[in-house]
Amino acid sequence: MSDCIFCKLANGEIPTETAYENDYVRVIADANPANVGHLLVITKKHTANMTELDEETAAEVMKAVRKTVIAMKTALKPDGINVIQNNGEAAGQTVMHFHMHVIPRYYGDGILPTWRQLHPEQVETHAAVAAIAAALQEQK
Ligand code: 5GP
Ligand code: ZN
């Protein structure tokens, strides 16, 4: 996509701080990091989000994320690491080109809010899971 900033970054059209790259992904520094060393694993192929990601690229993305997490643990020795991926504006996605966040975490850094947990009696889980299970069966 000619007007997509992440396409330009992924394919080297715009130079950027790069930790790793291969035929499928480039691992770059987030321009507005949550913590020092916050990286983005971005696909070289333009794909808006995970619903559009092909299976081969999805597998390669996860391999690159795994390598990145292991390297981050070695290099930065954080207390923990979050891997986060947002799909759609309602989920917090701001750049509509597939990417995964790899964020080093430290006790007390307070950078990510957690969610409130519903009690089982407050929700009817079965219908939702059954609908997803049926949709999974439909997938090729
Ligand atoms: P999202 O909210 O879509 O999951 O995350 C988008 C991320 O991309 C944000 O963390 C933001 O800081 C980062 N970002 C946005 N524009 C640029 C850019 O031009 N270069 C880099 N390196 N990161 C960017
Ligand atoms: Zn793109």
Side-chain angles (χ1 to χ4, degrees):
M1 281 238 309
S2 56
D3 59 346
C4 172
I5 180 78
F6 274 23
C7 278
K8 295 189 172 104
L9 293 167
N11 296 297
E13 203 177 318
I14 299 176
T16 189
E17 195 88 56
T18 297
Y20 175 77
E21 78 168 308
N22 63 24
D23 289 346
Y24 295 89
V25 299
R26 182 186 290 265
V27 182
I28 66 169
D30 193 296
N32 311 101
N35 259 341
V36 177
H38 178 170
L39 299 176
L40 300 172
V41 177
I42 62 180
T43 50
K44 292 206 166 169
K45 191 192 280 187
H46 180 86
T47 301
N49 59 43
M50 196 177 281
T51 63
E52 293 180 11
L53 199 61
D54 66 78
E55 222 169 35
E56 181 186 343
T57 307
E60 292 297 332
V61 164
M62 189 48 77
K63 283 192 214 170
V65 167
R66 175 182 170 276
K67 285 165 92 77
T68 302
V69 166
I70 293 168
M72 183 176 282
K73 186 174 175 221
T74 302
L76 304 184
K77 299 181 177 51
D79 298 322
I81 296 170
N82 281 117
V83 174
I84 298 170
Q85 196 272 318
N86 301 322
N87 292 288
E89 198 179 295
Q93 186 178 6
T94 58
V95 177
M96 300 302 158
H97 174 126
F98 180 86
H99 55 280
M100 292 185 78
H101 297 259
V102 182
I103 306 175
R105 297 299 309 276
Y106 301 91
Y107 289 117
D109 64 14
I111 61 164
L112 287 171
T114 186
W115 54 81
R116 62 167 166 59
Q117 291 182 317
L118 299 171
H119 292 290
E121 61 271 19
Q122 290 177 280
V123 285
E124 213 298 275
T125 300
H126 175 72
V129 175
I132 295 165
L136 277 162
Q137 290 298 322
E138 298 285 303
Q139 273 183 33
K140 292 184 199 86

